[in-house]
């Protein structure tokens, strides 16, 4: 038996924030042109105060379950990928499990940031193919807006990210052609500090520092917000994503040009254009939706898969590559026949 993705779904909160809104609403010293030219991003969605990633994931999860032709009680495992969980613990998977009314069903979080969906998918594939679970709900969900410094000081990171969730149901098939035929994951922890957020620092007691003057617990700005060495991220993302897809092709005896679709993590349209050009693929085989949503980290790939399936660009029988890269550094790729 081989695992396959039986359904796709997504949800983004209604509040759409354009690049111009970053200037007018948040008084960030930036321009639409700067953001579009460097990243391709035109807008993103921000969830309201009080809404968490499991809230965003719930409608996507319910829709994915329905589209798989299942009832919620058929789900026997939840894997929730996120870098912005509601809390340090417990995981967002447990909050989602309660919201779905699936008491007793195992729920785990995957904390692999922009590669989170691929690590979660590999976990689901393992659960299904080993017989440990039949119907795994795999979710990528992020509430980034709470962790962005929406001021000029934070503009390099703040313009990149958006909130949203994507969900798929992973099941088993006896069809010898169909399914997740191959996956590869990787990491290079030497770059752990190149993209990080250290708001919770268990190396120290207490986790949150005490101001020596006031005696109050305070989170300094460099811990509160994400730190990113953008150029190092860009260079490594391009390199690892290209090598990952090329390795995937070699292992599976195909050429990159045999692929019908390469679904890339949506971090920066320039990264994906570079990957596309190096693989010698036309634009329609490497689709992007970062223009509308920004980088939703663990949610980008399932959101894009759902959109491609809805508009008929992703069809049964297609040869599809998924590829992502992110904090850690971590990366991964998958070869599927849809
Ligand atoms: N608006 C206007 N000016 C800005 C903005 C902004 N939003 N952000 C930065 N600038 C300014 C900087 O202050 C700097 O000004 P200076 O020259 O006067 O000092 C100038 O623009 C250039 O800044 P750089 O940081 O050198 O810009 P760079 O060309 O590296 O582009 C970017 C920044 C777009 C973030 C790029 O490095 C990038 O995309 N890197 C990849 C990062 C990424 O994808 N992160 C996502 C998370 S990881 C993942 O998902 C793979």
């Amino acid at each position: 038996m081989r695992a396959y993705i039986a359904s796709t779904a997504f949800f983004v909160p209604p509040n759409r924030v354009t690049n111009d809104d970053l200037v007018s609403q948040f008084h960030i010293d930036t321009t639409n042109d700067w953001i579009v030219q460097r990243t391709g991003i035109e807008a993103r969605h921000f969830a309201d105060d009080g809404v968490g990633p499991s809230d965003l994931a719930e409608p996507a999860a319910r829709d994915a379950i329905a589209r798989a032709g299942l009832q919620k009680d058929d789900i026997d495992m939840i894997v929730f990928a996120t870098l912005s969980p509601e809390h340090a613990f417990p995981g967002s998977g447990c909050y989602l499990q309660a919201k779905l009314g699936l008491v007793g069903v195992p729920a785990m979080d995957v904390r692999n940031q922009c590669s989170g969906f691929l690590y979660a998918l590999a976990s689901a594939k393992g659960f299904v193919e080993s017989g440990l679970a039949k119907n795994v709900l795999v979710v990528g969900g992020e509430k980034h807006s709470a962790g962005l410094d929406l001021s000029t000081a934070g503009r390099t990171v703040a313009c990149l990210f958006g909130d949203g969730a994507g969900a798929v149901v992973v099941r088993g098939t006896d069809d010898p052609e169909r399914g997740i035929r191959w996956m590869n994951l990787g990491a290079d922890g030497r770059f752990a500090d190149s993209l990080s957020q250290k708001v919770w620092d268990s190396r120290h007691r207490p986790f949150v520092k005490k101001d020596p003057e006031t005696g109050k617990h305070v989170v300094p700005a460099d811990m509160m917000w994400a730190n990113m060495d953008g150029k190092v991220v860009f260079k490594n993302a391009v390199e690892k994503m290209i090598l990952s897809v090329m390795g995937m092709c070699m292992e599976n005896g195909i050429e990159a040009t045999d692929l019908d679709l390469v679904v890339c993590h949506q971090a920066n349209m320039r990264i994906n254009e570079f990957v596309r050009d190096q693989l010698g693929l036309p634009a329609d085989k490497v689709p992007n939706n970062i223009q509308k949503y920004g980088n939703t980290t663990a949610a980008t790939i399932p959101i894009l898969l759902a959109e491609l399936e809805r508009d008929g660009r992703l069809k049964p029988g297609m040869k599809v590559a998924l590829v992502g890269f992110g904090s850690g550094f971590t990366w991964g790729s998958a070869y599927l026949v849809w």
Side-chain angles (χ1 to χ4, degrees):
M1 185 199 285
R2 184 186 290 133
Y4 76 107
I5 295 178
S7 64
T8 61
F10 77 103
F11 176 79
V12 291
N15 179 24
R16 180 172 176 271
V17 178
T18 65
N19 294 337
D20 287 335
D21 292 335
L22 292 179
V23 179
S24 60
Q25 288 178 25
F26 299 100
H27 312 295
I28 299 178
D29 180 12
T30 188
T31 62
N32 179 56
D33 282 353
W34 194 98
I35 299 172
V36 171
Q37 280 168 17
R38 305 275 176 129
T39 71
I41 297 166
E42 295 165 17
R44 72 287 294 143
H45 290 243
F46 283 171
D48 291 342
D49 194 49
V51 172
S54 67
D55 298 306
L56 300 175
E58 185 187 351
R62 288 189 187 279
D63 194 20
I65 294 166
R67 287 175 185 273
L70 299 174
Q71 304 295 319
K72 71 173 173 66
D73 294 326
D74 295 321
I75 297 297
D76 52 4
M77 169 68 79
I78 297 170
V79 187
F80 197 126
T82 184
L83 79 61
S84 53
E86 273 88 351
H87 303 299
F89 68 87
S92 294
C94 289
Y95 288 105
L96 177 64
Q97 188 244 40
K99 284 173 181 142
L100 293 173
L102 289 176
V103 175
V105 170
M108 64 182 247
D109 276 28
V110 169
R111 300 287 310 280
N112 282 64
Q113 298 68 249
C114 297
S115 312
F117 179 74
L118 289 166
Y119 273 73
L121 191 64
S123 308
K125 177 174 163 64
F127 288 132
V128 167
E129 292 178 1
S130 67
L132 208 55
K134 278 198 170 68
N135 301 309
V136 184
L137 176 66
V138 180
V139 177
E142 306 286 0
K143 166 85 180 289
H144 281 315
S145 54
L148 297 175
D149 177 3
L150 289 163
S151 74
T152 297
R155 64 185 177 177
T156 312
V157 173
C159 70
L160 299 176
F161 292 94
D163 301 338
V168 304
V169 173
V170 175
R171 314 186 67 195
T173 175
D174 293 325
D175 183 335
E177 294 303 317
R178 189 179 190 188
I180 308 167
R181 298 175 71 114
W182 185 88
M183 287 201 76
N184 177 46
L185 303 173
D188 186 348
R190 292 175 301 170
F191 291 96
D193 287 335
S194 298
L195 184 51
S196 60
Q197 187 194 20
K198 297 178 175 171
V199 67
W200 186 47
D201 190 349
S202 62
R203 295 172 305 170
H204 304 293
R205 188 161 53 94
F207 295 161
V208 177
K209 284 182 183 150
K210 226 177 204 176
D211 184 306
E213 280 177 24
T214 63
K216 289 188 175 157
H217 293 289
V218 286
V219 180
D222 64 337
M223 285 176 70
M224 179 116 83
W225 313 120
N227 302 297
M228 181 180 76
D229 186 338
K231 286 187 172 55
V232 170
V233 173
F234 197 105
K235 182 176 166 290
N236 280 272
V238 165
E239 186 185 300
K240 289 295 182 306
M241 286 167 73
I242 292 169
L243 286 176
S244 206
V245 176
M246 285 169 57
M248 187 193 83
C249 290
M250 268 175 57
E251 291 283 336
N252 290 278
I254 56 170
E255 301 288 331
T257 47
D258 294 332
L259 293 163
D260 296 303
L261 281 175
V262 177
V263 178
C264 294
H265 166 54
Q266 303 288 297
N268 183 323
M269 197 138 84
R270 306 294 160 246
I271 293 176
N272 295 352
E273 287 170 349
F274 208 88
V275 171
R276 179 194 74 201
D277 292 347
Q278 292 297 307
L279 293 173
L281 296 174
D284 62 336
K285 283 195 174 186
V286 189
N288 291 297
N289 63 2
I290 192 170
Q291 304 91 318
K292 295 189 282 183
Y293 306 121
N295 182 349
T296 56
T297 303
T300 64
I301 291 177
I303 292 177
L304 184 52
L305 284 174
E307 285 201 331
L308 292 169
E309 201 174 34
R310 288 318 159 267
D311 70 18
R313 281 184 287 167
L314 175 56
K315 299 190 206 66
M318 277 187 157
K319 294 188 177 77
V320 181
L322 313 180
V323 60
F325 174 90
S327 160
F329 289 145
T330 55
W331 58 90
S333 61
Y335 173 48
L336 302 84
V337 175
W338 199 256

